Amino acid sequence: MRTAFYLLPLAMAPLFANDFWLVQILGRALSLGVIALSLTFLAAYLGVVSFAQTTMAGVAGYTVAYFGPNTVDVGYELPFYVILPLAMIMATLSGALIGLIARRSQGIYAIMITLAIAVAFFYFTRQNYSVFNGWTGFSGLRAPDIAGINLRAPVPFYLLCLGVAALSLVLVNGFIKSPLGLTIQAVRDEPKRVLAIGIPTTPVIVAAYAFAGFIAGSGGILNIWLQERISSFSVGLGPIVDILVIAVIGGLKHPIGAFIGAIAFVLLDTFAVDFIDRERFNTLIGLVLLAIIMGAPDGLHGLAKSWLSRSAKRPAKIKT
Amino acid sequence: MFTNLRAITMTSILALGVFTAPASAEDIKIGVISILEGAFAALGQDGIRGAELAVAEAGGEVAGNKIEVITMSSDASPDSAVNAARKLIEQDGVDIIVGPLSGSEGLALRDLSKSYPAVTFLNGSSAAQDTTLRDSSDNFFRFGGDGAQWMAGVGNYAHDDLGYQKVAVVAEDYSFPYTQVLGFMTEFCAAGGSVPDKFWTPIGTKDYSSVVYSIPSDVDAIFVALGGADAVNFLTQYNQAGGDKPIIGGSITIDQSILDSEGPFKKQLIGAPAGTPTVSDLDGTEWKAFTASYTEHFPDGFTAPSIFAHHYYMSAHAAVLALEEVKGDLSGDQAAFRAALSDLQFVTPTGGTMRLDENRNGIVDNFVTEVFEREDGTLGNRVVKIISDVDQSLGQDPSAFLAQGPVSRDNPSCP
């Protein structure tokens, strides 16, 4: 019910928003939000901050680029109904692999190990020409046509992003209530007690990372359809930090925070240069982010929630 | 499939145009994309100055139409250049885009320009070869050369005048240095020289020791196509390791900031040749007038316009001249404006005549420079040769030049 309450106005957006807002603002925010959601999921339910979510998204993106239509003569073209499942499988596997490597690490060590993997992947894509086409990467990537509708046309692309975002939110909410999801949260809180009742923690942690890889992969595919290109820059330190920033300003406690953060981030990233002297716009972005983090330690979602609960309480006070 | 996408994009742009039509009837909007963040910020800023200078010299208007300049930053990545261009086109409704700064960004905007046939793209300073040579786009113009044209004359000078037979190459591993190496090797190999080894290093490399010790001892010189801190690091480490081969520089290797830095490697640079389209202390009336205008408009800018200000200026200047010719008329998908651009000829700040080839790439004049020691012991670059009318196929038959295949790590090769 509540999901429909949020979804309805969003689904109506094509009626009043122009193409720029649909694709460059909302579409971009939703696809970044899906990648950030995978980070929020790991942070909230496994208690691990992973810097490797952009890498998992990049694996899906590179799979689509290598096996899909591109203009750089690298790769092998397959039909899209083979590419998409393949890309999701690759992203899930990459998540599982990263989880396997990082399974014993927590806190700052998990950050370091996932960051190391992400940066290693970035340099690998930049140096390898046979699969990743190095510095230049892939361009001319087109989203497929399904039933005569091009998925990259503004309205279909926006609705697709909205659908994927809603679906992944539902998926995350369902997953955390499943036995496996509950075990993941148990591992977060008391790994020793989980072990003591006879459940090995490694498969549970790997499963959590693999699930995060699946979510990040779907965001990654949307993102390269939006950009119509992918290169080593797309998996570099900049995008890695962007995803972290999105997740943190949105709020790491609830999955919806990823999308709130993504909208705030994309708006800032796009329009800051219009509000302030062009040499200083990064300062403005930094100051706003700083203000959000200082004023709302639980992110924008936490802030909104506390405002809502405060305004809900006030009428109650008047009654007494 | 693609035409369908194109049709949809076109209709959506037209639909957008309906809403912005009242504003664009009087104002002409030029969007400028340059790198205003990160390591290139200071240089990218100078590119913007170049574009603004061209508009300011025209009095900020053409045939009664006000010109509005909107700037947007990219961060050297193709993704950010594409996002910046989309924002300028779809949100700000610009008619013309000037930019971007670096090679891979140029390739990305060339691809993007095919989706926006109603907007004209004028390259900033990006100099990858294939931006205009292969898959060129009808609405993408480059009033300048590519990285290979910027090396014209150096290969011959190294072989004929300096007598080098064997040269090793050390260059960064991306599209712009590839193009520079191609420009050097095309002449050098044709003149009879050989390049036994090429070393491609990632941009931002700090430790060059493995490269320094792999350079064959029987080469006559080393062609170094590295930029900024990479060049300083390599030259310092090469000198410290006892290397004494002469150096040949790329277009951004031996700039004044390197010559002004401290270090024993400087002595080794005296006499080193390099190729460049922009010489900051060129002795010519046009350049002196350009520098005077630059310092007058931007007292807080550099002491002389950089290669970036020079190239952004030429593109924006070309836009202004073509707009004057068509009296600011951009109707009919800018057809008249583009025809005017294609036929445009004007005198560049370096004294040459700028005009375009059929791929809308500039035919340019290039300079071979040499490092010399001034009387006070400081170093500077001086012009030893001017190569006029360098086209994109470097004087070869265009179809034979194309048949050599796209530039890469291994192409060209003459071991």
Side-chain angles (χ1 to χ4, degrees), chain A residues 19 24 129 135 145 274, chain B residues 1 12 86-87 91 104 178:
Chain A
D19 290 351
Q24 287 297 314
Y129 277 75
W135 175 286
D145 293 85
D274 290 342
Chain B
M1 203 150 95
S12 43
R86 285 203 179 116
K87 195 244 170 194
Q91 182 67 17
S104 294
Y178 295 166

Side-chain angles (χ1 to χ4, degrees), chain A residues 235-248:
Chain A
V235 293
L237 206 54
I240 292 170
V241 173
D242 288 351
I243 293 298
L244 181 75
V245 166
I246 288 171
V248 169

Side-chain angles (χ1 to χ4, degrees), chain A residues 129-318:
Chain A
Y129 277 75
S130 52
V131 176
F132 295 103
N133 204 27
W135 175 286
T136 311
F138 295 85
S139 58
L141 309 175
R142 304 192 307 270
D145 293 85
I146 294 177
I149 299 169
N150 184 280
L151 292 184
R152 181 58 179 78
V155 175
F157 181 76
Y158 168 70
L159 293 177
L160 178 74
C161 286
L162 189 62
V164 171
L167 211 62
S168 26
L169 259 183
V170 171
L171 205 61
V172 168
N173 280 331
F175 186 70
I176 54 171
K177 290 180 194 124
S178 72
L180 180 56
L182 291 170
T183 319
I184 289 170
Q185 295 173 63
V187 170
R188 171 196 62 192
D189 297 333
E190 292 289 346
K192 283 186 183 142
R193 285 165 74 174
V194 173
L195 273 172
I197 57 170
I199 301 172
T201 53
T202 302
V204 177
I205 294 173
V206 171
Y209 273 97
F211 180 74
F214 181 84
I215 301 283
S218 51
I221 294 174
L222 290 180
N223 206 28
I224 72 147
W225 281 350
L226 168 71
Q227 306 286 356
E228 295 180 310
R229 52 172 302 109
I230 188 165
S231 66
S232 52
F233 291 99
S234 322
V235 293
L237 206 54
I240 292 170
V241 173
D242 288 351
I243 293 298
L244 181 75
V245 166
I246 288 171
V248 169
I249 61 172
L252 282 169
K253 290 204 169 145
H254 191 279
I256 193 75
F259 295 99
I260 299 173
I263 297 226
F265 176 83
V266 170
L267 286 176
L268 256 181
D269 190 45
T270 312
F271 294 111
V273 77
D274 290 342
F275 286 117
I276 195 164
D277 191 18
R278 58 175 186 245
E279 291 132 79
R280 304 274 176 270
F281 74 94
N282 269 332
T283 315
L284 177 71
I285 294 178
L287 286 175
V288 172
L289 296 183
L290 197 65
I292 292 174
I293 289 168
M294 286 178 70
D298 288 338
L300 291 171
H301 174 252
L303 193 68
K305 216 167 122 182
S306 67
W307 274 348
L308 283 178
S309 60
R310 223 178 288 162
S311 56
K313 263 179 209 156
R314 241 173 240 146
K317 267 182 193 165
I318 294 163

Side-chain angles (χ1 to χ4, degrees), chain B residues 180-403:
Chain B
Q180 291 243 286
V181 171
L182 174 126
F184 172 74
M185 283 179 67
T186 302
E187 281 183 9
F188 187 68
C189 297
S194 70
V195 177
D197 265 307
K198 285 185 259 181
F199 300 95
W200 301 109
T201 60
I203 198 166
T205 299
K206 301 281 180 292
D207 181 359
Y208 286 91
S209 49
S210 64
V211 174
V212 166
Y213 290 108
S214 309
I215 294 171
S217 54
D218 62 343
V219 296
D220 300 318
I222 308 170
F223 174 52
V224 182
L226 304 169
D230 285 2
V232 174
N233 284 337
F234 173 77
L235 293 171
T236 308
Q237 291 171 28
Y238 182 67
N239 182 274
Q240 282 168 354
D244 54 2
K245 304 287 181 200
I247 303 292
I248 303 167
S251 299
I252 57 169
T253 308
I254 312 180
D255 64 4
Q256 196 58 44
S257 64
I258 286 185
L259 296 179
D260 288 344
S261 63
E262 298 295 324
F265 70 86
K266 275 169 58 180
K267 287 272 175 262
Q268 208 170 340
L269 286 176
I270 295 171
T276 178
T278 310
V279 182
S280 54
D281 49 359
L282 186 67
D283 195 19
T285 46
E286 290 89 355
W287 185 259
K288 290 217 166 106
F290 179 54
T291 308
S293 170
Y294 172 90
T295 39
E296 186 201 324
H297 282 91
F298 306 104
D300 56 345
F302 296 154
T303 49
S306 67
I307 189 170
F308 303 103
H310 178 200
H311 281 78
Y312 274 76
Y313 172 83
M314 286 195 293
S315 284
H317 186 56
V320 169
L321 290 178
L323 280 170
E324 273 169 5
E325 200 163 306
V326 300
K327 307 228 173 339
D329 174 22
L330 289 176
S331 60
D333 269 1
Q334 311 188 351
F337 171 62
R338 281 180 204 162
L341 275 179
S342 301
D343 296 335
L344 202 63
Q345 288 207 0
F346 62 90
V347 178
T348 65
T350 51
T353 306
M354 172 63 71
R355 59 204 184 280
L356 298 183
D357 63 14
E358 65 275 22
N359 282 334
R360 294 162 298 283
N361 189 74
I363 297 170
V364 300
D365 292 345
N366 201 54
F367 300 93
V368 180
T369 61
E370 168 191 82
V371 179
F372 74 109
E373 192 169 12
R374 296 192 188 103
E375 277 169 15
D376 58 357
T378 59
L379 300 184
N381 275 311
R382 68 176 167 213
V383 177
V384 291
K385 233 177 175 180
I386 301 176
I387 317 291
S388 301
D389 301 332
V390 182
D391 64 9
Q392 208 175 10
S393 23
L394 308 173
Q396 298 180 29
D397 177 50
S399 55
F401 188 74
L402 269 175

Side-chain angles (χ1 to χ4, degrees), chain A residues 18-177:
Chain A
N18 70 18
D19 290 351
F20 175 76
W21 276 85
L22 277 186
V23 176
Q24 287 297 314
I25 303 293
L26 294 173
R28 183 164 167 233
L30 286 167
S31 62
L32 286 176
V34 173
I35 304 176
L37 172 65
S38 73
L39 170 59
T40 310
F41 162 76
L42 282 177
Y45 302 111
L46 188 64
V48 169
V49 174
S50 161
F51 274 57
Q53 297 319 110
T54 310
T55 306
M56 301 177 199
V59 167
Y62 269 113
T63 310
V64 172
Y66 187 82
F67 291 108
N70 64 56
T71 53
V72 294
D73 287 336
V74 176
Y76 178 77
E77 198 165 337
L78 294 172
F80 77 89
Y81 49 83
V82 180
I83 301 171
L84 295 187
L86 186 67
M88 299 306 291
I89 291 169
M90 294 294 285
T92 312
L93 284 179
S94 72
L97 187 66
I98 291 167
L100 202 61
I101 299 169
R103 67 187 186 277
R104 293 188 202 285
S105 313
Q106 274 174 337
I108 191 128
Y109 300 102
I111 290 178
M112 284 168 67
I113 201 161
T114 49
L115 181 62
I117 293 168
V119 173
F121 182 71
F122 161 68
Y123 277 110
F124 183 61
T125 57
R126 181 159 283 192
Q127 300 277 308
N128 177 291
Y129 277 75
S130 52
V131 176
F132 295 103
N133 204 27
W135 175 286
T136 311
F138 295 85
S139 58
L141 309 175
R142 304 192 307 270
D145 293 85
I146 294 177
I149 299 169
N150 184 280
L151 292 184
R152 181 58 179 78
V155 175
F157 181 76
Y158 168 70
L159 293 177
L160 178 74
C161 286
L162 189 62
V164 171
L167 211 62
S168 26
L169 259 183
V170 171
L171 205 61
V172 168
N173 280 331
F175 186 70
I176 54 171
K177 290 180 194 124

